[in-house]
């Protein structure tokens, strides 16, 4: 039975889709059969980052509305065995997503996959709430700035109250913190929140720390999840993140300021 993990954030532009692509790719690289679903109806960026935009024929809304079968909409990744993408629609309204339809899709995927990664739209609108509603775990993505952390705190409130687990009074959604675009030199100079500040405000388990890196933009422009750039700081940090998600004890890297030469 698959584990459903939502990758979410309160604020847009924090690297959420980049993280969903990297995490799903990393899980598949570790031998886990993984599917990543784009819930951002109307925008659809996941397929660009995954490098499969030209192969999109059917999407999540087509499946929910009975216009295509699930197997017709799933796109197999060309680089990693065991990785599949279910894209969002660019032409439909977010209201085309229904809770019953999402439930049916996830139930079918649970039978076949080890992990289902839900790439949520930013914020608290319908697509975001449906992406998190059936989640077993959540990766909350934030940048080291006050507005991003504050909005992430709001998302934690929704995870605690607006999910199926909350409604059924079962075990709560397990929450993980993923900090992106972290620059320890800028933290030292006071331009960014410290790691300790962020952890104190949000008070959830730290899953990963992704350093500010040109490799992220370069990989996105090439349609390649940055975790494939395993020699880059960001690629290594996402590999560490996936290892922790699988329960491994991995030391935190890239959180200390560089030492200046005398």
């Amino acid at each position: 039975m698959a584990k459903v993990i939502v990758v979410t954030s309160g604020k847009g532009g924090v690297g959420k889709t980049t993280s969903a692509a990297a995490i799903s790719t990393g899980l598949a690289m570790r031998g886990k059969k993984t599917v990543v679903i784009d819930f951002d109806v109307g925008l659809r960026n996941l397929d660009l980052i995954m490098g499969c935009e030209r192969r999109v024929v059917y999407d999540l809304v087509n499946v929910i509305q009975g216009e295509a079968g699930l197997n017709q909409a799933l796109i197999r990744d060309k680089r990693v065995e065991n990785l599949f993408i279910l894209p969002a629609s660019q032409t439909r309204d977010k209201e085309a997503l229904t809770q019953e339809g999402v439930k049916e899709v996830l139930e079918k995927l649970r039978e076949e996959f080890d992990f289902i990664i839900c790439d949520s739209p930013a914020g608290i609108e319908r697509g975001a709430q449906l992406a998190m509603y059936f989640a077993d775990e959540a990766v909350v993505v934030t940048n080291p700035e006050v507005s991003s952390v504050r909005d992430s705190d709001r998302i934690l409130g929704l995870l605690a109250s607006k999910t199926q687990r909350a409604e059924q009074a079962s075990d709560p959604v397990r929450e993980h913190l993923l900090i992106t675009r972290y620059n320890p030199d800028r933290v030292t100079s006071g331009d960014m929140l410290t790691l300790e500040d962020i952890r104190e405000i949000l008070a959830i388990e730290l899953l990963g720390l992704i350093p500010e890196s040109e490799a992220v933009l370069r990989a996105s422009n090439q349609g390649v999840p940055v975790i494939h750039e395993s020699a880059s700081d960001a690629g290594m940090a996402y590999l560490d993140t996936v290892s922790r998600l699988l329960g491994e004890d991995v030391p935190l890297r890239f959180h200390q300021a560089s030492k200046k030469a005398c």
Side-chain angles (χ1 to χ4, degrees), residues 69-100:
L70 183 56
N71 286 335
Q72 290 177 281
L74 286 172
I75 300 171
R76 183 188 291 270
D77 188 78
K78 287 184 175 181
R79 302 179 189 89
V80 185
E81 191 179 3
N82 291 331
L83 179 59
F84 293 79
I85 301 96
L86 182 54
S89 171
Q90 276 186 312
T91 58
R92 306 293 183 92
D93 186 84
K94 289 179 175 61
E95 297 304 314
L97 291 179
T98 65
Q99 184 169 300
E100 191 58 38

Side-chain angles (χ1 to χ4, degrees), residues 3 136-139 165 172-176 205 244-245:
K3 184 177 291 184
D136 301 310
E137 301 188 21
V139 176
R165 285 174 173 264
V173 175
R174 186 178 179 189
E175 300 159 341
H176 307 277
E205 171 192 359
R244 294 189 195 98
L245 194 59

Side-chain angles (χ1 to χ4, degrees), residues 7-212:
V7 180
T8 183
S9 68
K11 191 172 183 288
V14 299
K16 175 180 46 54
T17 297
T18 294
S19 297
I23 289 170
S24 58
T25 299
L27 288 168
M29 289 165 65
R30 295 290 298 271
K32 308 298 182 182
K33 191 171 184 183
T34 305
V35 58
V36 56
I37 307 174
D38 191 348
F39 275 83
D40 204 353
V41 174
L43 292 178
R44 197 174 85 189
N45 288 314
L46 179 65
D47 55 304
L48 293 172
I49 291 177
M50 300 294 289
C52 64
E53 69 277 6
R54 289 185 296 275
R55 292 194 285 145
V56 175
V57 178
Y58 296 111
D59 55 55
L60 175 61
V61 172
N62 291 139
V63 176
I64 287 176
Q65 298 194 343
E67 298 162 350
L70 183 56
N71 286 335
Q72 290 177 281
L74 286 172
I75 300 171
R76 183 188 291 270
D77 188 78
K78 287 184 175 181
R79 302 179 189 89
V80 185
E81 191 179 3
N82 291 331
L83 179 59
F84 293 79
I85 301 96
L86 182 54
S89 171
Q90 276 186 312
T91 58
R92 306 293 183 92
D93 186 84
K94 289 179 175 61
E95 297 304 314
L97 291 179
T98 65
Q99 184 169 300
E100 191 58 38
V102 171
K103 179 182 179 181
E104 187 174 336
V105 168
L106 292 178
E107 284 178 349
K108 289 179 181 177
L109 292 173
R110 277 183 187 271
E111 297 172 2
E112 189 177 348
F113 289 88
D114 298 314
F115 286 93
I116 301 169
I117 307 299
C118 300
D119 179 25
S120 169
I124 59 173
E125 44 80 23
R126 181 172 180 78
Q129 292 194 18
L130 283 175
M132 73 171 63
Y133 183 76
F134 297 101
D136 301 310
E137 301 188 21
V139 176
V140 180
V141 184
T142 189
N143 290 158
E145 57 181 61
V146 172
S147 62
S148 180
V149 174
R150 181 192 61 199
D151 289 347
S152 293
D153 205 21
R154 189 174 186 188
I155 291 298
L156 294 177
L158 293 177
L159 288 167
S161 60
K162 292 276 193 177
T163 61
Q164 185 179 59
R165 285 174 173 264
E167 289 179 2
Q168 296 176 351
S170 59
D171 292 339
V173 175
R174 186 178 179 189
E175 300 159 341
H176 307 277
L177 173 62
L178 180 62
I179 303 172
T180 57
R181 296 178 184 163
Y182 193 82
N183 185 324
D185 292 321
R186 293 180 64 190
V187 170
T188 300
S189 65
D191 295 333
M192 286 183 171
L193 291 176
T194 67
L195 178 59
E196 291 71 24
D197 287 340
I198 300 169
R199 297 177 75 173
E200 183 178 347
I201 294 168
L202 297 179
I204 60 174
E205 171 192 359
L206 180 63
L207 180 68
L209 182 73
I210 313 301
E212 201 168 42

